[in-house]
Amino acid sequence: MYTHLHQITNWPKLAEEAKWHTGKLVKECKVSLRTLERFFLKKFGKTPKRWLTEQRQIWAAKRLQDGLWPKEAAADAGYVNHTQFSREFKGYWGFTPSEYARRSGLGGKMS
């Protein structure tokens, strides 16, 4: 049923290319939202939206580890507003991007 979806091997890269938006991922995969939801629930055990949010947070955390400032990481992860990024980052990881940077040994990187 989801044959071409099963053939996709690099979902995180596809998520990045879709800018972590469900609608763009649906278009990239050339399936309906409902089909993508059913596939994701079977493959990942979560909705595409939840999975994309996780991938976006992982991407942003890696960017902070690469030495980007929180505002730069927010822009790189496609956030228009860095305060929303900080709020979502803290909700996901349990601490702010600046705290994450400090914990990661990146010193004084601040927002």
Side-chain angles (χ1 to χ4, degrees):
M1 180 176 182
Y2 314 116
T3 307
H4 79 284
L5 294 177
H6 285 292
Q7 293 173 352
I8 297 171
T9 58
N10 197 353
W11 283 101
K13 177 136 178 69
L14 193 56
E16 179 189 344
E17 290 170 1
K19 302 292 182 202
W20 302 279
H21 291 283
T22 307
K24 291 179 183 178
L25 188 60
V26 164
K27 287 180 184 177
E28 288 288 324
C29 293
K30 297 179 174 91
V31 295
S32 70
L33 175 58
R34 185 63 189 127
T35 297
L36 194 66
E37 287 172 343
R38 284 192 296 264
F39 175 78
F40 266 68
L41 287 170
K42 282 188 174 188
K43 181 165 179 73
F44 299 111
K46 54 193 77 169
T47 66
K49 182 176 175 71
R50 178 68 185 144
W51 183 84
L52 286 166
T53 298
E54 290 175 358
Q55 294 302 306
R56 192 178 195 187
Q57 291 303 318
I58 292 166
W59 171 261
K62 286 179 183 173
R63 303 308 291 151
L64 290 169
Q65 290 171 354
D66 289 344
L68 263 62
W69 291 66
K71 286 183 182 179
E72 294 170 320
D76 200 44
Y79 285 91
V80 176
N81 184 325
H82 78 278
T83 56
Q84 177 165 351
F85 164 66
S86 292
R87 192 170 34 252
E88 288 182 19
F89 191 94
K90 185 173 183 176
Y92 186 79
W93 295 102
F95 33 84
T96 68
S98 296
E99 291 168 338
Y100 183 86
R102 280 194 297 273
R103 289 173 186 236
S104 298
L106 301 175
K109 299 281 188 187
M110 303 299 261
S111 59

